[in-house]
Amino acid sequence: NTLFAQSDYKPTDKNIENREWFQDAKFGLFIHWGVYSILGDGEWVMNNQKIPVYQYEKLPSFFNPTQFDPAEWVSMVKKAGMKYITITSKHHDGFAMYDSKVSDYNIVDRTPYGKDVLKMLKDECDKQGIKLFFYHSQLDWHHPDYFPLGRTGQGFTGRPDNGNWNDYIDYMNTQLTELLTNYGEVGGIWFDGMWDKPNADWRLDETYSLIHKLQPGTLVGSNHHISPIPGEDFQMFERDLPGENTMGFNQTGTISELPLEMCETMNGSWGFNLQDKNYKSSKRLIQTMVKAAGYGANFLLNTGLMPNGKIQTENIDTLVVMGKWLDKYGETIYNTRRGPIKPQDWGATTVAKDGTVFIHLLEMKDENLLIPALPGKIKSATYWANGEKVKYKETDYGILLHIPKSKQDNVDTILRIKM
Ligand code: H57
């Protein structure tokens, strides 16, 4: 049964170590990049515009990202204060962005560019000390054996009305084997698309065991929108803070004890979308990152790469601002864990390894704020920015903070609490 996949799974020491690294890292770049980027209409364009396989297959011949410069990407990632990259090795369109041998439907065999961008990126990541994760779609609108069809891809793809499901799973496992064999140490595998066929036999037990056998340290996560399945090493939330389910599809019963990650878009799209200029402000993204950290969750922020291989300038601007913020305030985010007070409308708390609690005031209505009591007596409360004492009163109802307007920061007023 899929829901109990690798039920005897016990993470190795290396895996546990990587989970700690992951939780310390806090901030990563999500990259959606594929032949769909050419059309500038998001990564679901094949489905949304009902483009059949035989037409969509023309796209790779136009994919020629001559301006792709992995050193530039990775330097940008570092400048943004990010510690890892999660990139699409294959999205729902089924096109492999690397040198796959099990199918020629890949970047090396089908595009004029002809180079393995994942390999180029991995080499650069190794050079600059950034971990690389692969997003791999289980859903596949291209493979003829992805049959019976799932909830999506019904009708439009023009695939035959039959196929061998197990051949598809074999194919996927072979591609995963390639990814975990030919690219050195992989940070993790980030699955997506199982929700397309909730009742199929995904043979997850086999897939998860295979991954952990090939690279025991690699972290497995899946965007299946349900509670973690044995064999997974972290739990993720698409465009939601853990447990909030504002999107309506993260039907996860619980926030598990696994490391957590939330992914978010900079505008409203994952893949490059020319129509979508609805960019979120850096202030809003920083505040979401802080709240995620308050849940102990990583913030995986997406950029829809352009077909020429460049990062959108609007996204660069945002990343630079976030990096500057982290340069200054990173102590209150990196290496922390979820704070003693669950994130609230007013903000969040994080806790450093030495027990220091950081209170992040993201939204102050006026100068007084009552927050829940902390577990233990407060020894000192100071402003992170200048070390000045914070005025507060411990009451029966919690802690009453007095934060004069002059001390309030527009993005995040951080208090340092010693207990
Ligand atoms: O890669 C990005 C993101 C990380 N996940 C992909 C997107 O392309 C899927 C978007 N997820 C939205 C979603 C949530 C539930 C299902 C889709 C028909 C039946 C089920 C779906 C549609 Fe829905």
Side-chain angles (χ1 to χ4, degrees):
N1 184 314
T2 288
L3 294 183
F4 301 97
Q6 204 184 350
S7 54
D8 60 348
Y9 175 55
K10 272 192 62 182
T12 59
D13 290 348
K14 178 69 183 160
N15 191 282
I16 299 283
E17 197 182 296
N18 288 348
R19 290 182 188 191
E20 288 300 313
W21 168 86
F22 186 70
Q23 287 173 287
D24 289 348
K26 284 292 181 293
F27 192 27
L29 184 68
F30 205 176
I31 296 178
H32 277 70
W33 199 36
V35 293
Y36 46 79
S37 309
I38 299 167
L39 299 177
D41 192 18
E43 78 290 354
W44 272 61
V45 59
M46 184 177 177
N47 179 283
N48 295 347
Q49 293 190 18
K50 304 215 179 320
I51 306 172
V53 166
Y54 74 94
Q55 290 286 34
Y56 195 91
E57 280 195 343
K58 294 174 179 168
L59 270 184
S61 66
F62 310 130
F63 192 76
N64 195 13
T66 49
Q67 295 181 62
F68 168 56
D69 179 356
E72 197 175 276
W73 287 16
V74 180
S75 302
M76 186 64 242
V77 159
K78 293 192 83 157
K79 201 165 167 191
M82 294 162 153
K83 308 294 183 192
Y84 61 103
I85 295 174
T86 303
I87 189 168
T88 44
S89 46
K90 181 192 89 165
H91 205 271
H92 306 338
D93 67 357
F95 189 77
M97 290 294 283
Y98 68 99
D99 186 12
S100 176
K101 302 295 182 205
V102 280
S103 153
D104 71 350
Y105 200 53
N106 71 67
I107 188 164
V108 173
D109 292 320
R110 291 275 184 106
T111 74
Y113 191 62
K115 289 191 261 185
D116 185 338
V117 292
L118 294 195
K119 180 77 176 60
M120 293 160 75
L121 180 59
K122 180 60 165 66
D123 289 346
E124 188 60 36
C125 284
D126 287 347
K127 225 184 261 172
Q128 297 204 41
I130 290 292
K131 287 213 197 195
L132 188 62
F133 290 55
F134 295 132
Y135 166 110
H136 204 78
S137 175
Q138 294 157 303
L139 157 58
D140 194 312
W141 292 321
H142 178 268
H143 199 286
D145 287 313
Y146 189 83
F147 192 89
L149 302 177
R151 296 178 180 182
T152 64
Q154 296 281 5
F156 77 84
T157 61
R159 282 177 292 186
D161 260 4
N162 54 62
N164 186 334
W165 174 247
N166 277 317
D167 284 356
Y168 174 69
I169 297 295
D170 289 345
Y171 164 83
M172 190 177 68
N173 286 344
T174 308
Q175 286 209 323
L176 290 165
T177 303
E178 292 176 330
L179 289 168
L180 290 156
T181 307
N182 301 334
Y183 299 85
E185 201 175 303
V186 174
I189 300 289
W190 205 107
F191 284 115
D192 195 7
M194 226 177 82
W195 42 261
D196 189 50
K197 281 176 182 261
N199 300 318
D201 179 8
W202 288 96
R203 290 163 47 198
L204 273 192
D205 191 65
E206 198 181 321
T207 301
Y208 287 179
S209 304
L210 172 73
I211 297 170
H212 288 130
K213 190 187 80 189
L214 290 169
Q215 291 201 25
T218 207
L219 302 178
V220 174
S222 181
N223 189 24
H224 44 42
H225 311 306
I226 54 175
S227 294
I229 295 169
E232 293 169 5
D233 302 300
F234 65 103
Q235 181 178 12
M236 69 180 74
F237 299 84
E238 178 179 334
R239 304 192 64 186
D240 260 326
L241 288 160
E244 295 204 350
N245 196 23
T246 58
M247 300 303 289
F249 52 70
N250 290 314
Q251 304 289 348
T252 314
T254 52
I255 301 174
S256 75
E257 287 306 309
L258 294 179
L260 309 175
E261 181 185 66
M262 91 168 265
C263 57
E264 180 57 294
T265 51
M266 285 208 241
N267 48 9
S269 311
W270 299 102
F272 179 52
N273 189 335
L274 278 169
Q275 311 276 4
D276 186 352
K277 295 192 296 187
N278 196 15
Y279 297 105
K280 299 176 181 84
S281 69
S282 42
K283 171 178 171 176
R284 176 168 162 198
L285 291 169
I286 289 169
Q287 292 190 332
T288 307
M289 172 175 68
V290 170
K291 277 206 175 177
Y295 280 101
N298 285 9
F299 192 52
L300 182 65
L301 183 58
N302 181 73
T303 185
L305 254 292
M306 296 193 288
N308 63 0
K310 291 285 191 198
I311 307 174
Q312 301 176 54
T313 50
E314 294 87 343
N315 291 357
I316 290 180
D317 293 345
T318 303
L319 292 173
V320 167
V321 173
M322 295 185 80
K324 284 204 176 121
W325 190 88
L326 278 161
D327 262 351
K328 187 162 175 201
Y329 302 103
E331 182 205 358
T332 69
I333 302 292
Y334 298 123
N335 304 315
T336 64
R337 295 294 181 269
R338 114 176 91 100
I341 303 168
K342 197 184 142 162
Q344 316 268 330
D345 286 343
W346 51 258
T349 59
T350 53
V351 59
K353 287 188 178 144
D354 70 358
T356 305
V357 173
F358 298 109
I359 299 180
H360 299 263
L361 303 171
L362 302 173
E363 209 178 298
M364 294 281 295
K365 295 248 177 322
D366 55 50
E367 300 197 325
N368 298 309
L369 178 70
L370 183 71
I371 66 167
L374 291 166
K377 189 98 191 85
I378 296 176
K379 235 196 256 159
S380 71
T382 53
Y383 288 95
W384 187 92
N386 59 13
E388 282 177 32
K389 282 205 165 108
V390 175
K391 289 212 176 87
Y392 68 93
K393 235 195 332 235
E394 285 175 283
T395 75
D396 290 349
Y397 308 101
I399 306 164
L400 188 60
L401 296 169
H402 180 72
I403 313 290
K405 279 266 178 292
S406 62
K407 298 269 197 278
Q408 292 182 20
D409 184 284
N410 174 43
V411 177
D412 185 0
T413 310
I414 307 177
L415 313 181
R416 182 196 299 274
I417 311 291
K418 296 273 187 196
M419 317 262 293

